[in-house]
Amino acid sequence: MKTILTTVAAVALCSTAQADTLRLLTWGGYAPENVIEMFEAETGHTVEVTKSNNEEMIAKLRATNGGGFDLAQPSQDRIAGPQAEFGIYKPLDMSKIDESLFIPSMLEATKGNTTVGGDVYGVPHVWGTSGLVVNTAEAGDVKDYTDLCNEDVSGKVSYRLKRPTLIGFAYAMGLDPFAAYGDEAAYKDILDQVEAKLVDCKPNVKTYWDGGDELKNLLRSGEVVASMAWDTGGWQLNDDNQDITFVAPASGALGWIDTFVLPSRGRADDAAYDWINFVMKPEIAAMITASAGNFTASKGGDANVDDALKAKYQASFPQEAIDNIKWYPPVPAGLEALEGAALDRINAAN
């Protein structure tokens, strides 16, 4: 009888701790190999990583009606709108997430911004800002986004043809795009003004960059002396050239939070929850910060972060710059189509 009960217990344990393959759709640096190896050893799950960005994540999940992946990491402003419009995510079971691992204020803000129909769809992971990366010896007067259009940096600036450029320029022009999110006509009027500004600014642009490595090479070579980019890119370049660093724009850096969401047709939810709880442990979070260059929403996750990175962060972000960060709210359905059309016209303009 004892042998039978032991066998039954073993079978039950195996069934509740079944090893799955976690198909993770994420950003570069968020799932470093050393973290994957530790997770696989601890849980028995295996991890397949597909690196992507916001636009591609939404496109992939739309194309498969929420299939093909078990866990994805879009920014928190890319959840409520796509969910309401396309239904590509499934609600989170918060009882399976260890909320004590998260910075409380960041967790609550993200839960609020990703709630649709009373259900929570996202929790925070990695966060940071975008603003300006400037060679201060060559372009010391570039303090805000619109300064990229100044004559003294003509032909030596770069930015992406993506929505952060539209948003940043709007704020630098004295407009408030986030306040207009609920009014499509008002938002289109802001986009029209920004579009005209960016078309006028085209002669200043050396190139529109797509990837971080491309931009870093342009700044290292001196072909570009000022650009819109993420804080981590500026801090990494600062290691090679003390004149190049991240500058929080006068009108405010743009703050983002990349999340964890469950695609609606994912098939390894248990592995997904295990991954979330694993990577939010402070010691694992510090490893991800070392890989990605950004801090995480892990409570105490900055304790073991490199002192040099902390110093760069503090130099770029005095308290007034932190207080001036413009955090991305959820994007209402339909606005990204307006933005895409504006970006296409800017790209096509002579």
Side-chain angles (χ1 to χ4, degrees):
M1 176 65 70
K2 182 177 180 181
T3 302
I4 294 173
L5 289 175
T6 301
T7 302
V8 170
V11 171
L13 181 61
C14 288
S15 66
T16 58
Q18 180 178 356
D20 291 310
T21 296
L22 174 67
R23 299 166 300 167
L24 177 62
L25 183 62
T26 188
W27 300 77
Y30 288 14
E33 192 59 39
N34 56 349
V35 169
I36 291 174
E37 290 173 357
M38 292 174 66
F39 174 75
E40 291 180 338
E42 179 172 309
T43 67
H45 302 307
T46 56
V47 181
E48 294 178 357
V49 174
T50 299
K51 297 177 183 177
S52 190
N53 57 47
N54 274 318
E55 291 78 14
E56 290 179 358
M57 285 184 202
I58 303 301
K60 287 178 185 294
L61 294 175
R62 282 188 62 188
T64 58
N65 295 316
F69 300 95
D70 307 300
L71 187 64
Q73 297 209 248
S75 298
Q76 59 96 17
D77 59 311
R78 304 301 187 92
I79 297 175
Q83 176 58 23
E85 195 168 0
F86 309 119
I88 54 178
Y89 309 123
K90 68 178 75 171
L92 291 173
D93 182 348
M94 295 304 297
S95 70
K96 295 183 178 181
I97 294 176
D98 186 352
E99 296 190 32
S100 70
L101 295 170
F102 294 79
I103 297 170
S105 60
M106 197 169 292
L107 176 62
E108 291 308 309
T110 304
K111 286 166 63 178
N113 282 334
T114 64
T115 294
V116 180
D119 291 318
V120 174
Y121 285 85
V123 291
H125 184 212
V126 177
W127 68 276
T129 67
S130 61
L132 298 166
V133 174
V134 178
N135 185 324
T136 55
E138 301 290 336
D141 291 335
V142 175
K143 305 292 187 183
D144 212 341
Y145 304 105
T146 48
D147 292 339
L148 295 172
C149 302
N150 291 350
E151 186 176 346
D152 59 351
V153 290
S154 180
K156 292 187 176 183
V157 307
S158 185
Y159 42 80
R160 295 190 304 161
L161 281 182
K162 301 288 185 182
R163 68 184 310 265
T165 301
L166 300 174
I167 299 296
F169 266 74
Y171 274 113
M173 293 167 64
L175 306 170
D176 191 340
F178 293 159
Y181 264 18
D183 185 335
E184 187 170 308
Y187 193 69
K188 185 178 185 306
D189 180 63
I190 289 174
L191 287 180
D192 289 344
Q193 296 178 60
V194 173
E195 178 183 332
K197 179 67 174 178
L198 288 171
V199 169
D200 287 342
C201 195
K202 288 191 78 167
N204 270 40
V205 179
K206 173 69 176 179
T207 186
Y208 297 119
W209 65 270
D210 286 319
D213 288 341
E214 175 191 5
L215 178 62
K216 289 175 190 175
N217 290 334
L218 289 166
L219 283 156
R220 287 189 181 108
S221 69
E223 294 176 84
V224 166
V225 297
S227 176
M228 286 186 66
W230 296 292
D231 43 25
T232 51
W235 297 332
Q236 289 164 3
L237 286 164
N238 187 255
D239 290 334
D240 303 326
N241 184 338
Q242 294 295 303
D243 291 329
I244 303 175
T245 193
F246 178 81
V247 174
S251 59
L254 303 177
W256 52 267
I257 299 173
D258 290 336
T259 68
F260 291 114
V261 299
L262 298 179
S264 60
R265 295 173 59 210
R267 56 177 187 244
D269 288 359
D270 287 342
Y273 287 117
D274 286 346
W275 177 265
I276 294 170
N277 291 326
F278 182 79
V279 300
M280 294 309 295
K281 296 177 182 178
E283 64 274 17
I284 305 300
M287 295 169 66
I288 291 173
T289 293
S291 171
N294 285 104
F295 293 88
T296 79
S298 168
K299 187 176 181 181
D302 60 343
N304 296 315
V305 171
D306 178 70
D307 287 340
L309 178 58
K310 287 183 183 178
K312 291 172 188 173
Y313 172 82
Q314 292 166 356
S316 293
F317 283 104
Q319 189 59 49
E320 59 268 24
I322 294 175
D323 293 341
N324 198 30
I325 292 174
K326 306 297 192 291
W327 295 99
Y328 283 106
V331 182
L335 288 196
E336 288 189 272
L338 292 177
E339 294 167 346
L343 291 167
D344 286 344
R345 288 191 297 270
I346 294 165
N347 191 37
N350 295 322

